[in-house]
Amino acid sequence: MSLIRPLEVMAQFHDNVVIAHRGAWKKNQYPENSIAALREAIKLGCHGSEFDVHMTSDNVLVVNHDAEFYGLDIATSTYNELLALKHPNGEKIPTVEEYLTEGMKQDKTKLIFEIKSSEVDKERTLELTKLSVALVHHLKAQKWVEYICFDFDAGAYVHELDPNAHIAYLNGDKTPEEVKEAGYTGLDYHFSVYEKNRHWIKDAHELGLSINAWTVNKPEDMKRLLDQNAEFITTNEPELLFEILEKRKNQE
Ligand code: MG
């Protein structure tokens, strides 16, 4: 596998395939994308913790999966309006600044930053992209952050803004060659896409692209991807994936 990563940076982060999808929330019933779920992913020793980024009407970047936060539409609400609502564990919606600042208290778990496509228009998606890269640089969070996105142009724009950034494409509709050509460093496709296009993992590896897959929750799918030398596996079941890795290690 030929991943293009500076060794000194790679060395300190956990060397495993586990990426907690929206943090590690399931076992302890934390809200998805909460600071509590991020802390749990760090506590488990995941290589990465994934989170989703939206932008409020007054251009504040916030962490949440859906386009709405407990019934309030993020894109058309101000940040202050969103503060009226809370997660069931009492947390407010995290700003990306707060989320990255929390994640940067440690340097073992990477922060997998999903740029959400705007439901308003493409221009808004690219504005979110620009503000995201600017914020990551302002906080000096580059070594923690790897970007993922469904919008092909957003990832190409990240590459333009920061040629050293790690960026993986999520949408599953481009060949490894096309993804590489646009400046991406990896594929992060639904696991079924690799089943339909059986040579893509090999092709991607030959191009120096990393392989990640979402959202892999069943042992048989995890094992197959491990056999195919996927660098990363994104899962709602990080504890289960760690168990499988431990068993395989003991069988070696
Ligand atoms: Mg996501």
Side-chain angles (χ1 to χ4, degrees), residues 7-196:
L7 273 178
E8 68 279 10
V9 171
M10 192 57 193
Q12 65 192 359
F13 288 96
H14 289 300
D15 185 15
N16 63 55
V17 302
V18 185
I19 295 183
H21 182 233
R22 308 178 194 169
W25 47 271
K26 197 169 172 189
K27 186 166 166 252
N28 298 297
Q29 296 184 311
Y30 296 131
E32 298 175 17
N33 275 314
S34 62
I35 298 283
L38 168 63
R39 286 186 183 139
E40 182 67 13
I42 292 168
K43 195 172 124 194
L44 286 173
C46 297
H47 170 75
S49 187
E50 188 261 1
F51 61 104
D52 304 289
V53 173
H54 293 266
M55 184 163 66
T56 63
S57 64
D58 52 345
N59 289 2
V60 178
L61 301 176
V62 291
V63 180
N64 194 57
H65 180 263
D66 293 345
E68 54 176 56
F69 185 66
Y70 300 105
L72 208 51
D73 180 61
I74 295 173
T76 54
S77 302
T78 63
Y79 174 63
N80 270 334
E81 284 167 343
L82 289 169
L83 289 180
L85 298 159
K86 288 210 181 340
H87 278 305
N89 71 341
E91 281 186 41
K92 64 184 184 62
I93 191 167
T95 63
V96 173
E97 180 160 355
E98 288 161 352
Y99 197 93
L100 293 177
T101 302
E102 179 67 28
M104 289 168 71
K105 290 179 183 166
Q106 53 84 51
D107 55 8
K108 301 288 184 200
T109 297
K110 289 232 177 199
L111 307 171
I112 312 300
F113 190 124
E114 180 175 346
I115 295 168
K116 280 284 177 198
S117 307
S118 167
E119 291 185 349
V120 180
D121 57 21
K122 171 78 92 181
E123 202 182 319
R124 203 78 185 133
T125 301
L126 296 179
E127 181 67 15
L128 187 159
T129 305
K130 189 169 89 181
L131 293 177
S132 294
V133 174
L135 179 59
V136 167
H137 284 243
H138 172 70
L139 296 173
K140 298 188 168 53
Q142 290 97 315
K143 78 173 178 182
W144 284 266
V145 169
E146 298 193 4
Y147 301 89
I148 55 176
C149 54
F150 279 96
D151 187 302
F152 196 65
D153 299 329
Y157 191 30
V158 172
H159 178 65
E160 192 185 315
L161 295 166
D162 179 1
N164 295 317
H166 291 273
I167 321 150
Y169 182 55
L170 292 165
N171 206 36
D173 58 345
K174 303 274 186 196
T175 65
E177 291 77 14
E178 290 169 319
V179 168
K180 173 83 179 178
E181 181 66 23
Y184 285 85
T185 58
L187 300 189
D188 184 357
Y189 288 171
H190 187 266
F191 62 87
S192 65
V193 173
Y194 301 121
E195 288 303 285
K196 282 184 209 120

